[in-house]
Amino acid sequence: MSNEIKSIHEFDFNLICEYYSSLERQGPGSPEITVKALSFIDNLTDESRIADIGCGTGGQTMVLAQHAPGQITGIDLFPAFIDLFNLNAAKLNFQDRMKGIVDSMDNLHFQDEELDLIWSEGAIYNIGFERGLNEWRKFLKTGGYIAVSEASWFTEKRPAEIDEFWQSVYPGIDTIPNKVNQIQKAGYIPVATFMLPENCWTEHFFAPQARAQEAFLKKHAGNVTAEEFIAFERHETQLYYRYKEYYGYVFYIGRKI
Ligand code: SAH
């Protein structure tokens, strides 16, 4: 069956953007989990500089702004997401301390040692976990933090179907100890690691999508690409319910040494 399901890389970016623009989040997570990850970070003041890389429309960035001081820059590759990000920031009256910018995470335009905190929920896989940790480190001050959520295996072994799915969408997925080791090797102290609870997927990621899918299919009735894209999303959801004891998202927090 998995052979018939297209890879997400094969779909039209405009369609993907349209679909995800209608959602508050573009990846698994929740406001509670953003606040929990933030509780491990103790160096922030009004002068702090924070970057949220792969911020999407800013669901988690708005939570950050509500719970942390400092100037926040949201970075995303897609202009439609950044437009929504800036609208969301203005709605909450954060326009003086938040700014969304279109840029690519593999070619960021920060100064060396400019940042106190790098945040990235469900997005570092786009550059790869290790590469992101290594390339972004120079932008952090010594003692600055990195907080990222990343798809991870919970067990050493897993059924072939879920293994093959992840090898096709993100071969960089790895076990929690291996990820922690990568953090240490990249020049950070692994400060905290915790698994995202199931409701970050079910309630905050899949439930809003189920509603959005109906509207999206109605709007694009007869469009085979749109139908295949939704079939892919639904397949991903079913796999999660079937195999959730083997994988999920994990928050990793490191401090630059
Ligand atoms: N952090 C958000 C979005 C996660 S989805 C959330 O948790 O809801 C991953 C995001 O990474 C998307 O918004 C996508 O547009 C962005 N992205 C993908 N490739 C990128 C790149 N090269 N540079 C910056 N952002 C990128």
Side-chain angles (χ1 to χ4, degrees):
M1 181 174 98
S2 56
N3 293 341
E4 293 158 24
I5 303 273
K6 279 198 177 186
S7 149
I8 188 117
H9 307 296
E10 295 170 48
F11 296 112
D12 175 346
F13 270 129
N14 290 327
L15 274 180
I16 298 180
C17 271
E18 182 197 317
Y19 176 76
Y20 278 109
S21 293
S22 68
L23 301 169
E24 198 175 310
R25 301 197 56 97
Q26 289 76 45
S30 73
E32 294 75 25
I33 286 305
T34 298
V35 171
K36 179 171 173 173
L38 196 54
S39 74
F40 294 99
I41 288 150
D42 56 13
N43 63 338
L44 300 176
T45 68
D46 287 337
E47 272 69 58
S48 294
R49 303 219 154 248
I50 301 170
D52 184 1
I53 302 177
C55 59
T57 59
Q60 73 293 322
T61 337
M62 304 305 141
V63 178
L64 266 185
Q66 279 158 338
H67 292 88
Q71 294 287 328
I72 306 178
T73 306
I75 304 283
D76 204 278
L77 192 57
F78 292 112
F81 288 171
I82 289 299
D83 288 346
L84 285 167
F85 177 103
N86 285 323
L87 276 175
N88 288 334
K91 262 189 221 153
L92 293 171
N93 241 331
F94 284 136
Q95 65 276 11
D96 295 338
R97 44 182 297 248
M98 284 181 93
K99 198 171 174 184
I101 289 174
V102 176
D103 211 352
S104 187
M105 61 173 78
D106 54 11
N107 183 28
L108 293 168
H109 291 86
F110 295 108
Q111 307 288 320
D112 286 2
E113 314 227 327
E114 177 181 338
L115 300 171
D116 297 274
L117 170 61
I118 291 178
W119 203 267
S120 184
E121 293 194 31
I124 195 171
Y125 70 88
N126 287 294
I127 185 171
F129 188 72
E130 271 196 289
R131 186 176 161 202
L133 290 174
N134 282 299
E135 287 190 16
W136 299 348
R137 186 176 177 277
K138 64 175 177 293
F139 302 123
L140 277 178
K141 294 174 186 153
T142 301
Y145 285 87
I146 186 160
V148 298
S149 67
E150 162 84 340
S152 308
W153 294 125
F154 295 160
T155 55
E156 282 289 331
K157 293 201 172 109
R158 70 242 23 139
E161 186 183 21
I162 195 61
D163 201 62
E164 282 161 20
F165 173 79
W166 275 98
Q167 293 313 323
S168 74
V169 293
Y170 181 47
I173 186 170
D174 210 335
T175 59
I176 298 171
N178 286 349
K179 295 272 176 199
V180 170
N181 201 23
Q182 288 166 5
I183 294 173
Q184 179 110 41
K185 274 208 192 117
Y188 305 90
I189 298 170
V191 170
T193 300
F194 64 91
M195 287 157 65
L196 272 64
E198 272 175 46
N199 79 333
C200 287
W201 296 78
T202 53
E203 187 187 323
H204 293 280
F205 191 48
F206 294 142
Q209 282 193 65
R211 293 189 290 271
Q213 284 164 0
E214 294 305 325
F216 187 83
L217 285 176
K218 232 180 233 165
K219 184 173 169 203
H220 296 286
N223 178 334
V224 176
T225 311
E227 283 165 6
E228 285 177 344
F229 171 63
I230 297 302
F232 175 88
E233 296 293 306
R234 288 178 172 167
H235 177 60
E236 190 183 17
T237 305
Q238 286 159 2
L239 285 177
Y240 179 77
Y241 280 103
R242 209 176 308 154
Y243 295 116
K244 59 188 158 63
E245 71 258 49
Y246 298 101
Y247 73 99
Y249 261 79
V250 173
F251 235 114
Y252 298 94
I253 295 141
R255 187 150 59 86
K256 178 174 168 178
I257 41 177

